[in-house]
Amino acid sequence: HFYSQMTDLIYTEKELVQSLREYIKAEESKLATVKSWANKLDALTRVSTADPEGYLAHPVNAYKLMKRLNTEWSELENVQKDILNFCPGFVSNMSVHRQYFPDEEDETGAAKALMRLQDTYQLDSEAFSKGKLPGVHSNAVLTVDDCFDMGKTAYNDADYYHAVLWLQQALKQLDDGEEAVVSKADILDYLSYSVYQMGDLPRAIELTRRLVAIDPSHQRAGGNLRYFEQLLMKQLREMNQDYQPPSEEPIQLGTYSRPKDHLPERESYEALCRGEGIQMTEARRSRLFCRYHDGKRNPHLLLKPVKEEDEWDSPHIVRYLDLLSDEEIEKIKELAKPRLARATVRDPKTGVLTTANYRVSKSAWLEGEEDPVIDRVNQRIEAITGLTVETAELLQVANYGVGGQYEPHFDFSRKDEPDAFKRLGTGNRVATFLNYMSDVEAGGATVFPDFGAAIWPRKGTSVFWYNLFRSGEGDYRTRHAACPVLVGSKWVSNKWIHERGQEFRRPCGLTEVD
């Protein structure tokens, strides 16, 4: 009896070894997953740390960094908890840094920035997913899963126009044989409903049929298919038409029209951002000159007058060359960086400062006393414009990252919002002096939709215009916008000059012309 028990124990031990082997195999496969993730990120961080600014200048890289830090690292941590628990160093490192990680709102914001760029610069989803952006050779790509997540972000926001563009791209890459976590059925599920929401029943039916073929037990798909077919038949009967099969052409930019939004001049504004529709005629060009400007023999400029170029004739916009040196620019950026915060706008109804989707940048205000450089720049602006900066606002420094923009707006306060600058007691913003502190690889122009001008950033140069006529009335033609940055990072600083103190420097006049 004892002997047979011993024999059983031998087999039990064999069984234990076997289950230990299975455990090792399972852990090794988990470890292999962690290893391949680490290898992928090793290669990636080698590239990103070699030139962080250059890396983040590409919109796809910026989006994927947000997504990795908000979603993917946490997923890795949850899935591989038991392995990572053996490594307290990693876990505590994650906890320390997690407070600085982007959150869900940041990731969604980065996805929406890509969609904003897609609209403004008329780029299809493939241009982003394959990294084929104007003037950029990059190996930044979006996978099937990335494109699906982009589509889902739009879908959850009831933005079916963009959902279709991104889900279609996910489907195309999957059909082309790319590996993915997401299933074809899931993509078809979201895509068919989004296409239906865009009012394209024939294509919604075709996509739902594909879904039913892949997954016949999909309950909602079957119900949707019957509903779509009945709806289409009803529509055809009402319009007395025959059934037309959907186009074989894949859905692309322009297949569906983009929904209208709050901005009346959206189309002309975006065209100018692309460099289209600029109203620069030969006659106008012949009225533009360049000159040396000494600020009416200002002592600061007598020995070294500044180069002034006309950018536009009416309203008169000028550009000054070599206004800021590279050293001054670096110093201003260094002073502003610790203080950069999401830029705000004043709510015209309540007068309260809030963040808004139409102004996406980070800004900081710098005082003249903070550093001799700021004081020097303020004095230079005064010498060049002949206007006092005593009553001007502080120098505002702004950084527009990828997708950063400021949609069409006025710098001056209008009749319907009389209290905007009341607390300053310095009157309205009479003029704007804008310094470009970086070159921008693509996008980022300053455009004036009213008269069709586009001014492109050139590092070290500045542009200047008056917002008010001599009569004190606002010049409504000066409505302008900062186009979204497509590739690169745009740094500007600006000085808003106010009316008080200019009484003898720019005397009043009754005319509406300058």
Side-chain angles (χ1 to χ4, degrees), residues 120-193:
T120 306
Y121 298 106
Q122 291 185 345
L123 298 162
D124 58 17
S125 302
E126 180 136 326
F128 286 100
S129 89
K130 300 283 183 266
K132 296 184 210 150
L133 297 180
V136 183
H137 297 292
S138 162
N139 51 6
V141 294
L142 291 169
T143 62
V144 170
D145 294 293
D146 291 332
C147 292
F148 177 68
D149 286 342
M150 286 284 296
K152 227 164 65 173
T153 300
Y155 181 95
N156 291 337
D157 209 25
D159 172 5
Y160 301 108
Y161 170 78
H162 288 107
V164 165
L165 291 174
W166 286 98
L167 294 166
Q168 165 76 31
Q169 184 60 27
L171 185 62
K172 179 179 186 293
Q173 289 177 212
L174 198 61
D175 284 343
D176 290 346
E178 192 184 306
E179 297 276 307
V181 176
V182 65
S183 69
K184 192 171 287 192
D186 274 346
I187 299 175
L188 286 166
D189 191 9
Y190 279 93
L191 180 57
S192 57
Y193 187 74

Side-chain angles (χ1 to χ4, degrees), residues 416-478:
D416 56 354
E417 38 162 39
D419 294 341
F421 303 122
K422 203 168 193 173
R423 64 194 167 82
L424 296 175
T426 51
N428 212 337
R429 287 175 178 164
V430 67
T432 296
F433 200 99
L434 175 66
N435 307 307
Y436 293 117
M437 303 200 303
S438 64
D439 292 310
V440 179
E441 289 161 73
T446 306
V447 298
F448 293 78
D450 187 84
F451 49 90
I455 296 172
W456 302 93
R458 291 206 321 259
K459 188 177 180 182
T461 70
S462 306
V463 290
F464 173 72
W465 68 84
Y466 281 104
N467 296 305
L468 306 179
F469 292 112
R470 281 186 182 272
S471 62
E473 288 291 316
D475 185 346
Y476 280 77
R477 298 172 300 171
T478 60

Side-chain angles (χ1 to χ4, degrees), residues 203-491:
R203 210 186 288 256
I205 289 168
E206 180 208 22
L207 290 163
T208 313
R209 280 183 183 149
R210 270 188 76 177
L211 172 53
V212 172
I214 291 174
D215 182 0
S217 62
H218 198 300
Q219 276 179 306
R220 198 176 56 253
N224 280 357
L225 185 56
R226 284 190 295 280
Y227 172 67
F228 293 161
E229 286 174 338
Q230 284 162 4
L231 201 57
L232 183 63
M233 289 310 144
K234 183 168 171 263
Q235 279 183 12
L236 292 172
R237 268 200 310 278
E238 282 169 8
M239 295 163 73
N240 212 356
Q241 286 177 343
D242 291 329
Y243 172 73
Q244 293 289 326
S247 152
E248 292 291 308
E249 284 292 300
I251 301 164
Q252 50 206 12
L253 221 59
T255 301
Y256 304 125
S257 56
R258 190 164 129 217
K260 291 273 178 276
D261 72 352
H262 63 280
L263 200 62
E265 73 263 70
R266 167 80 57 200
E267 282 178 19
S268 59
Y269 150 57
E270 290 182 348
L272 287 168
C273 289
R274 297 190 296 274
E276 298 165 13
I278 296 172
Q279 304 296 311
M280 178 57 76
T281 58
E282 278 312 310
R284 175 168 281 132
R285 191 173 273 112
S286 71
R287 292 196 290 273
L288 304 182
F289 298 95
C290 55
R291 61 194 72 79
Y292 281 104
H293 173 79
D294 65 7
K296 295 186 179 150
R297 303 188 63 70
N298 184 297
H300 291 281
L301 300 173
L302 264 180
L303 292 176
K304 194 188 175 191
V306 64
K307 296 171 188 154
E308 181 183 88
E309 289 180 352
D310 292 332
E311 281 281 351
W312 207 260
D313 56 346
S314 177
H316 195 201
I317 303 175
V318 292
R319 190 194 292 254
Y320 297 106
L321 307 191
D322 306 323
L323 199 99
L324 297 176
S325 68
D326 286 356
E327 292 71 36
E328 288 172 327
I329 286 171
E330 284 316 306
K331 186 68 192 172
I332 294 169
K333 281 164 67 171
E334 181 193 316
L335 291 167
K337 272 177 182 171
R339 275 186 258 170
L340 286 174
R342 174 75 188 266
T344 53
V345 292
R346 195 173 296 283
D347 185 315
K349 291 189 183 67
T350 62
V352 176
L353 291 173
T354 63
T355 61
N357 287 338
Y358 62 82
R359 187 179 190 188
V360 184
S361 63
K362 285 185 172 292
S363 65
W365 301 85
L366 301 180
E367 303 206 27
E369 297 80 67
E370 289 186 47
D371 194 280
V373 166
I374 307 299
D375 196 43
R376 209 158 59 228
V377 170
N378 288 339
Q379 291 313 310
R380 201 171 299 160
I381 292 172
E382 182 162 307
I384 288 169
T385 61
L387 301 172
T388 180
V389 293
E390 287 302 309
T391 54
E393 291 170 56
L394 300 180
L395 188 73
Q396 180 179 221
V397 181
N399 175 221
Y400 297 85
V402 163
Q405 62 165 4
Y406 194 172
E407 286 183 359
H409 62 282
F410 299 101
D411 279 353
F412 63 89
S413 165
R414 270 100 56 230
K415 293 259 192 308
D416 56 354
E417 38 162 39
D419 294 341
F421 303 122
K422 203 168 193 173
R423 64 194 167 82
L424 296 175
T426 51
N428 212 337
R429 287 175 178 164
V430 67
T432 296
F433 200 99
L434 175 66
N435 307 307
Y436 293 117
M437 303 200 303
S438 64
D439 292 310
V440 179
E441 289 161 73
T446 306
V447 298
F448 293 78
D450 187 84
F451 49 90
I455 296 172
W456 302 93
R458 291 206 321 259
K459 188 177 180 182
T461 70
S462 306
V463 290
F464 173 72
W465 68 84
Y466 281 104
N467 296 305
L468 306 179
F469 292 112
R470 281 186 182 272
S471 62
E473 288 291 316
D475 185 346
Y476 280 77
R477 298 172 300 171
T478 60
R479 186 168 163 86
H480 59 284
C483 294
V485 173
L486 178 55
V487 182
S489 174
K490 177 182 169 184
W491 283 89

